[in-house]
Amino acid sequence: RGMEPAKTFLQMYNDSHGKYPQKVGFVLWSVETMRHQGIFEAQIYGLLGVKPVRSSGRITGFEVIPLEELGRPRIDVVLAPSGLYRDTLPNHVELFDEATRTVAELDEPNDMNYGKARSEAIYAALLEKGYDNDTAQFLSKSRIFIDALGTYGGGGIAGVVGASYTWENESKVADRYISGQGYVYGGGLWGEPNEDLFRLNLVDVDAALHSDSSNLYGLMYNDDMFQYFGAMALAVRSLR
């Protein structure tokens, strides 16, 4: 199911930019997933070029789609689920981590595997920041960032926006989002703070996606859309 929306998005991006995106940011909400029944998650797997393997209807692993069959590069991703997504669908957080690490460790050319290429760049940057080799290797493949355990709201962006009279530079909002959402999940980590790593993952995002499968809420109805989706876009812009 995920390959069709992945193909559609990539075709639209290619038509507009003349090339494929190398990295895509995703904002995931659990209630949205319940509405669309996982099509957004399937799209992420489609961009990575992996096919979920199921047992009794449940995803238990992944089958890597060969590049010859995929017909284009594997797209790197960075995922920013909500705190509620973390709490209600923790198994999917771990599955995403497994999928992104699987792709980053494939023996493929960097120009056909953007996840592998970007992991190598992040690894080098982490070594320069003083991380030891094993830690840098592990963290370079991490792609999932959520609020700290027990917290919600995209890093408290609503409060920052509500106090807009106290700041003049939008980088203040970006910094708050990065510090509030910059907790690593997956691969044995569950809420490990690391703003450096989040910044390294956001800086080269080419496009950001967020599903909207219902007209129950509009873009301006409440603060959730700008707390998550808007804040990610602003943080990427601020880091460029």
Side-chain angles (χ1 to χ4, degrees):
R1 295 172 59 194
M3 293 308 297
E4 287 307 314
K7 288 178 181 177
T8 300
F9 164 70
L10 290 175
Q11 186 61 57
M12 291 174 61
Y13 189 95
N14 191 42
D15 290 344
S16 299
H17 298 81
K19 59 182 179 180
Y20 289 124
Q22 294 195 23
K23 191 166 194 172
V24 180
F26 284 85
V27 172
L28 298 108
W29 291 352
S30 61
V31 175
E32 268 294 287
T33 293
M34 295 171 193
R35 289 195 190 104
H36 59 57
Q37 299 181 21
I39 193 64
F40 204 45
E41 284 80 352
Q43 183 178 19
I44 294 170
Y45 295 137
L47 292 179
L48 291 170
V50 299
K51 184 184 304 182
V53 175
R54 291 177 171 83
S55 175
S56 301
R58 300 178 66 88
I59 299 175
T60 57
F62 300 93
E63 173 188 334
V64 175
I65 301 172
L67 287 174
E68 296 76 15
E69 180 181 340
L70 194 61
R72 45 92 177 161
R74 302 186 195 280
I75 311 301
D76 193 16
V77 299
V78 57
L79 310 181
S82 67
L84 187 58
Y85 192 104
R86 169 202 61 213
D87 294 350
T88 56
L89 300 168
N91 58 315
H92 284 281
V93 173
E94 293 288 8
L95 286 167
F96 280 133
D97 182 76
E98 179 184 344
T100 55
R101 290 183 187 280
T102 296
V103 168
E105 293 169 0
L106 293 173
D107 183 14
E108 295 176 337
N110 282 0
D111 62 350
M112 292 299 292
N113 186 331
Y114 298 147
K116 174 175 177 284
R118 188 55 194 158
S119 291
E120 291 177 359
I122 292 174
Y123 166 68
L126 291 174
L127 288 180
E128 289 186 3
K129 290 179 178 293
Y131 288 77
D132 65 76
N133 182 72
D134 290 346
T135 301
Q137 281 280 10
F138 175 80
L139 291 177
S140 70
K141 303 177 182 70
S142 297
R143 294 293 187 273
I144 306 167
F145 300 87
I146 315 177
D147 306 87
L149 282 172
T151 64
Y152 308 85
I157 295 301
V160 178
V161 172
S164 59
Y165 57 89
T166 65
W167 50 268
E168 297 182 0
N169 192 319
E170 66 180 18
S171 65
K172 298 293 185 181
V173 184
D175 290 343
R176 184 66 187 91
Y177 171 74
I178 292 169
S179 65
Q181 189 84 15
Y183 292 78
V184 188
Y185 286 77
L189 300 180
W190 203 251
E192 184 76 19
N194 197 319
E195 293 181 34
D196 287 341
L197 186 60
F198 196 24
R199 290 176 188 274
L200 288 170
N201 270 277
L202 289 173
V203 69
D204 58 347
V205 167
D206 295 313
L209 298 178
H210 179 37
S211 66
D212 186 9
S213 58
S214 168
N215 61 2
L216 180 62
Y217 299 108
L219 289 176
M220 304 298 290
Y221 279 22
N222 59 32
D223 54 20
D224 286 336
M225 190 64 73
F226 72 73
Q227 283 192 114
Y228 291 94
F229 190 49
M232 173 184 276
L234 190 151
V236 171
R237 184 171 68 200
S238 176
L239 292 170
R240 291 293 175 87

